[in-house]
Amino acid sequence: MKTLTAHRTLDGRGKTITTFVIHDAAASLRTMAEGEILEVVTDDFEPFPADIAAWCRATGHVLVATESQADGLHFFVEKGRPVAHDTKLAMVISNHGLDELLSPLGFALAAALEGIDVHLYFQGPAVRVLSRGFQPKLKGWGRPFTRFAAAGMTKSGHIPAQDKLRQLRALGAHIYVCGGSMQPFKVKKEDLIFDDLPIVEYFTFMAVMEQADIHIYN
């Protein structure tokens, strides 16, 4: 099979988290002209073809071809015109464990990368996630193994929770802090990683949820 010629190549090998690879792909495409082709190289990992195709459909990019080569999968993505979304996601995050943050932040990042309007409400012990220096840990018997689990997750592409929040903010996501949870869980306003976060409670976020199309609770 003749390999297509790309204007730029992104090497995503070594990572098995699609949001990690797609985040970098989206950043590359933002600096390219419409119609130019980005080649994304990944490991031969089963979820990649479906996820990259779904992301392209949602964002207006065109997956021109997918090739299986000796060094991995090669996706040729043509930059398209941005697709306008009027979908809103409202997510309530209550847990702050290392493993418990994977799913909600992963879905939030995927939604933001598709252009969905993302709103995150941190309440209960999860307000600690927004505090400077926070390091999520496993719970129960797995707690002593947190460092090893975190290293393995980072290697695969699960970046730290606060780095994901920075990515989300850069993509336009809105983050809210439950004011009633801050004192019980010893989080001060001056300790928050962002200095402009709305400190609210249930009624404010209920108004957001009423306008949202997708609701996720963790």
Side-chain angles (χ1 to χ4, degrees):
M1 180 183 296
K2 183 179 179 180
T3 301
L4 293 169
T5 300
H7 295 84
R8 189 178 302 178
T9 298
L10 172 67
D11 189 350
R13 288 174 297 180
K15 304 299 181 182
T16 55
I17 306 303
T18 53
T19 50
F20 183 97
V21 175
I22 288 175
H23 178 273
D24 287 353
S28 292
L29 285 165
R30 280 195 291 272
T31 65
M32 296 171 64
E34 185 178 332
E36 290 187 333
I37 294 178
L38 172 68
E39 178 185 17
V40 183
V41 186
T42 71
D43 290 338
D44 191 356
F45 185 56
E46 188 171 355
F48 276 127
D51 269 27
I52 291 177
W55 171 69
C56 286
R57 289 193 299 270
T59 55
H61 302 309
V62 180
L63 182 57
V64 178
T66 301
E67 297 181 1
S68 179
Q69 299 183 25
D71 61 346
L73 297 176
H74 291 242
F75 300 91
F76 294 86
V77 180
E78 179 182 317
K79 180 172 180 176
R81 294 186 178 181
V83 174
H85 289 273
D86 58 2
T87 305
K88 179 182 288 189
L89 180 151
M91 179 182 295
V92 177
I93 300 178
S94 305
N95 300 304
H96 67 302
L98 179 67
D99 52 339
E100 294 168 316
L101 290 170
L102 293 181
S103 180
L105 294 184
F107 277 114
L109 187 54
L113 286 166
E114 288 191 353
I116 292 173
D117 186 16
V118 173
H119 295 253
L120 308 177
Y121 179 68
F122 285 81
Q123 67 168 12
V127 295
R128 293 171 175 160
V129 179
L130 300 172
S131 183
R132 290 191 182 91
F134 170 78
Q135 297 291 334
K137 295 179 174 60
L138 294 172
K139 293 184 178 179
W141 67 269
R143 190 179 181 90
F145 304 99
T146 292
R147 181 168 61 87
F148 301 102
M153 288 162 51
T154 299
K155 183 178 180 180
S156 68
H158 273 303
I159 65 175
Q162 291 190 347
D163 289 343
K164 285 185 180 178
L165 291 176
R166 293 184 180 95
Q167 289 182 340
L168 281 161
R169 288 261 293 188
L171 291 167
H174 307 271
I175 300 174
Y176 307 77
V177 190
C178 173
S181 299
M182 293 177 67
Q183 184 176 355
F185 292 100
K186 300 180 180 179
V187 174
K188 298 178 181 178
K189 183 176 181 179
E190 57 267 27
D191 295 333
L192 296 174
I193 56 174
F194 307 114
D195 59 10
D196 59 348
L197 296 182
I199 298 175
V200 302
E201 290 203 19
Y202 298 113
F203 290 98
T204 299
F205 202 69
M206 275 295 297
V208 174
M209 294 173 69
E210 288 173 0
Q211 302 298 318
D213 308 278
I214 305 170
H215 301 86
I216 299 179
Y217 304 87
N218 173 52

